[in-house]
Amino acid sequence: MNRLYEFLRRHPTWVDGFWAFVLLFTSFMVIALPEQDAYAGPEWGALLVSVLLAGVMTLRRRWPERTLLAAGGIGLLQVVGDVPPLPANFAFFVVIYTNASGSARCASRLALLMSLLAPTVASLRWPTEDADESMANAVLGAVFLTVAFCLAWVLGDSLRTRRAYYAELEQRAHRLEQERETQARMAVAAERARIARELHDVVAHNVSVMVVQADGAAYVLDTAPEQTRTALRTISGTGRQALTEMRRLLGVLRSEDASATGQDYVPQPGVEQLADLVDQVRDTGLPVEFRIAGTPRPLPSGVELTAYRIVQEALTNSRKHGGPDVGATVTLEYGSDALTVLAEDDGRGAQRDLYEERGADGLGQGLIGMRERVGMVGGVLLAGPRPGGGFRISATLPLTGGE
């Protein structure tokens, strides 16, 4: 049935042709009735009108305006040739409906005018034979046909209005989707720009450390060789770390901020500042449990900054979306080759579209920022509802260069 429906939908002219054949066959049967109920008009004229109306019926969706004019001409031919109504005249209703449902307003108005005039003309042209009731029957017949024609026009116009309404809804949905995609791209670009500035600060800080260590090593080169070797090792490790951060920085679109000053380029927070962050959140009324698993050790500056920002954003989301009496837990797990950051709460959690659509909620881009930060260091981020209620954010940050 579905294949048949699709076939008929792709070939509407065939459907109209079938119904035109039904009307034509019915008209032939009326014309060829026995003597008692024989057709009163000229048979050849009736046959011609039936064939023409069948053609109009077949082509009504391909050329709606032309078939409307053709139907009007056939109607005049029928009146002039004294061809009484036939079953094929039902094509007039279909043509009226088709043009009323179309987008051409002039054709629709012409169809309405024809709907108002045609019944009156038909009633006056072919009155009933009973002289006593001819006037009443003519009036009733004209009113009935007028209502029928107008109903066909109203149905077509209602269909046109509904199509226009659905088309407007589709256009509006398309525009909203485009705006949403644009906002998401803008959010990603803005977040990448902010991350680039922060990574620039990290690299600048590392270079500053290298310069200070180099100056110190040059000062004590002759008097304290062991201290010089320590300074050189620090310079080597800091330089490698700075190169790693610089490689990550090259893959990020960075927007220049002309208002930035030298005071803006300061070292960014890391895991050592997480305890202070947790204390600040606790002061706002959100109970937070902070855990550290494994053996803490020095981490790349980019990883430290990413871990700090993830915890910061996760606790912010817990305050915003967790609801009353929410509690949070933050866990840092030091592994052999990765740092795992786990932040979860027992509240009601964020709305589904805030994490299924990459956090593009139109108000904040917290999850977008997390994904971009974790992607910068080559890590993996998982965010979603927690079993038993609440929300969970888990980030795995590699410590071997981010490959």
Side-chain angles (χ1 to χ4, degrees):
M1 291 300 295
N2 291 334
R3 292 182 179 178
L4 178 60
Y5 174 75
E6 290 296 328
F7 176 80
L8 296 179
R9 189 176 62 84
R10 292 194 301 267
H11 303 85
T13 304
W14 289 26
V15 179
D16 294 336
F18 170 76
W19 291 112
F21 174 77
V22 172
L23 292 180
L24 184 61
F25 179 78
T26 307
S27 299
F28 285 172
M29 294 297 296
V30 171
I31 295 172
L33 282 176
E35 297 81 1
Q36 182 178 357
D37 298 322
Y39 183 70
E43 294 183 359
W44 287 107
L47 292 175
L48 176 62
V49 169
S50 299
V51 172
L52 293 177
L53 288 176
V56 167
M57 180 77 171
T58 303
L59 302 175
R60 53 114 183 173
R61 273 191 275 197
R62 179 171 295 183
W63 299 307
E65 293 85 3
R66 297 180 183 179
T67 53
L68 177 64
L69 297 177
I74 296 171
L76 292 177
L77 176 63
Q78 191 171 357
V79 172
V80 173
D82 192 17
V83 180
L86 295 160
N89 288 121
F90 184 79
F92 289 129
F93 292 96
V94 180
V95 172
I96 294 295
Y97 167 83
T98 302
N99 282 271
S101 62
S103 58
R105 302 306 300 151
C106 293
S108 178
R109 295 188 183 97
L110 180 59
L112 178 60
L113 180 61
M114 292 173 61
S115 299
L116 297 175
L117 294 179
T120 302
V121 173
S123 298
L124 295 177
R125 184 66 178 87
W126 297 288
T128 59
E129 297 180 356
D130 192 347
D132 295 334
E133 299 180 359
S134 61
M135 182 59 68
N137 290 338
V139 173
L140 290 177
V143 171
F144 177 78
L145 287 177
T146 302
V147 170
F149 273 99
C150 290
L151 180 60
W153 185 90
V154 169
L155 290 176
D157 190 68
S158 299
L159 178 61
R160 179 194 61 81
T161 303
R162 186 171 58 180
R163 286 174 178 171
Y165 175 71
Y166 287 157
E168 178 64 24
L169 289 181
E170 291 179 356
Q171 293 179 359
R172 184 178 302 178
H174 182 65
R175 289 196 300 268
L176 290 177
E177 184 67 21
Q178 288 183 333
E179 292 176 0
R180 187 175 185 178
E181 293 177 357
T182 302
Q183 291 177 358
R185 288 194 295 267
M186 293 175 60
V188 171
E191 190 63 30
R192 287 183 176 180
R194 189 160 66 95
I195 295 172
R197 287 193 294 268
E198 291 180 352
L199 288 177
H200 177 277
D201 300 342
V202 171
V203 174
H205 173 67
N206 290 335
V207 173
S208 299
V209 172
M210 293 169 60
V211 171
V212 171
Q213 293 291 332
D215 290 342
Y219 183 75
V220 298
L221 179 62
D222 298 327
T223 59
E226 186 63 28
Q227 188 175 355
T228 301
R229 283 192 292 269
T230 302
L232 291 176
R233 285 194 296 268
T234 302
I235 293 173
S236 176
T238 305
R240 291 190 180 92
Q241 184 174 342
L243 287 176
T244 301
E245 302 299 339
M246 185 63 71
R247 294 190 186 100
R248 293 170 181 161
L249 177 62
L250 292 177
V252 180
L253 296 176
R254 181 176 182 272
S255 60
E256 297 294 337
D257 186 0
S259 61
T261 62
Q263 297 178 352
D264 297 328
Y265 298 104
V266 296
Q268 297 296 317
V271 294
E272 294 181 357
Q273 285 74 36
L274 283 179
D276 297 334
L277 174 64
V278 170
D279 291 337
Q280 294 176 2
V281 175
R282 287 171 180 165
D283 293 338
T284 63
L286 175 64
V288 182
E289 182 179 356
F290 183 48
R291 306 170 183 169
I292 297 179
T295 303
R297 62 180 185 274
L299 301 173
S301 301
V303 173
E304 288 201 24
L305 175 61
T306 300
Y308 182 90
R309 295 304 186 195
I310 289 175
V311 174
Q312 184 182 45
E313 187 63 34
L315 295 178
T316 300
N317 290 340
S318 296
R319 290 202 307 269
K320 291 172 56 179
H321 308 294
D325 302 327
V326 61
T329 301
V330 176
T331 303
L332 289 184
E333 182 178 353
Y334 288 85
S336 59
D337 56 357
L339 174 70
T340 301
V341 181
L342 178 64
E344 54 186 356
D345 61 59
D346 56 4
R348 62 192 178 193
Q351 299 177 6
R352 180 175 297 273
D353 55 352
L354 297 188
Y355 58 87
E356 284 191 349
E357 299 295 336
R358 298 178 58 86
D361 58 349
L363 300 176
Q365 290 82 31
L367 291 180
I368 288 180
M370 290 185 191
R371 294 181 190 278
E372 292 297 323
R373 291 179 184 278
V374 173
M376 283 289 299
V377 298
V380 177
L381 176 71
L382 299 176
R386 187 173 70 100
F391 202 78
R392 170 182 293 169
I393 296 175
S394 175
T396 302
L397 311 177
L399 304 179
T400 56
E403 290 82 10

